[in-house]
Amino acid sequence: MFEKNLLKDIEEHRKEMVYLAKHTSFSHPKVIDISIRLDELLNKYENLLRAKI
């Protein structure tokens, strides 16, 4: 269940980042904050996958 929620969070953050970047810029502070959070989520997911191997 944790994995499913994590994937959902990743997708939501990705969509939000793309939307904001499209309407502002990739250097906008909100886009940067979301990008950092997305990176953290992706790292969690990668660690989760590594733990399963």
Side-chain angles (χ1 to χ4, degrees), residues 7-18:
L7 286 171
K8 183 180 172 192
D9 286 346
I10 288 169
E11 183 60 16
E12 288 174 1
H13 280 76
R14 185 196 66 79
K15 285 180 180 179
E16 186 176 1
M17 185 183 78
V18 169

Side-chain angles (χ1 to χ4, degrees), residues 25-38:
S25 72
F26 277 103
S27 60
H28 190 279
K30 277 191 133 183
V31 175
I32 293 170
D33 289 343
I34 293 169
S35 175
I36 291 168
R37 179 66 180 137
L38 177 59

